[in-house]
Structure formats: structure tokens, C-alpha cells
Amino acid sequence: KRLESDVLKLGHHGSRTSTSELFLGFVSPDYAVISAGKDNSYGHPHEEVLEKIAAFGIQKKDTLSGMVSFQSDGTTVFATN
């Protein structure tokens, strides 16, 4: 059985081991949110994760430049920033 989500907050600031391709395939979100500080010393989000979400055609939203927010009309979810 598939999980479904319009928005998925990626695990552990987008670290390379936090989000598998298998999981992304099952959830199939429209948006992936990455919570990570700008110029953090850990290099989050890792390039491997960014490549995975791009390969699935998932739109990336991150906190590197500020707050991430979404709205819904009850049917569709869309990013507001």
C-alpha cells in the first residue's frame, strides 16, 4: 500500500541517509521541505538528497532563505513563497 502526501518534510536536515529513494517513491510528494540553516557546518542539505528529489520531479522548498509556507483550497496544496 502506498503512502500519500502533498508535502513531505525530509528527515535530518536533508542528510544523505535521511531519505531513501524507496521512501520517496512510496510517498510521492509534490513538495519536499528541507529545514536547514544557511551555510551550516554539516553541509545540509546534501547533494545526494537534492538529486533524489529532482529525479522524482519533486519541488524543493527549504529554509535556507527563510520561512516555508503552504496554503490549500481544500483540494490542492500550493507553496506561498
Side-chain angles (χ1 to χ4, degrees):
K1 186 169 182 171
R2 288 176 45 102
L3 299 171
E4 293 186 17
S5 178
D6 295 316
V7 179
L8 174 66
K9 190 241 180 230
L10 299 185
H12 198 77
H13 315 290
S15 71
R16 65 181 46 91
T17 59
S18 66
T19 306
S20 72
E21 291 170 337
L22 181 64
F23 184 66
L24 285 175
F26 275 107
V27 177
S28 190
D30 295 323
Y31 297 96
V33 177
I34 302 168
S35 177
K38 186 174 182 177
D39 299 324
N40 65 80
S41 61
Y42 298 100
H44 294 142
H46 289 143
E47 189 62 33
E48 296 92 332
V49 173
L50 299 177
E51 290 170 0
K52 287 178 191 177
I53 62 175
F56 280 92
I58 301 168
Q59 297 180 61
K60 174 186 68 93
K61 295 293 181 181
D62 60 51
T63 59
L64 297 175
S65 59
M67 183 177 74
V68 174
S69 62
F70 295 90
Q71 288 186 352
S72 175
D73 62 8
T75 303
T76 304
V77 173
F78 53 94
T80 58
N81 57 346

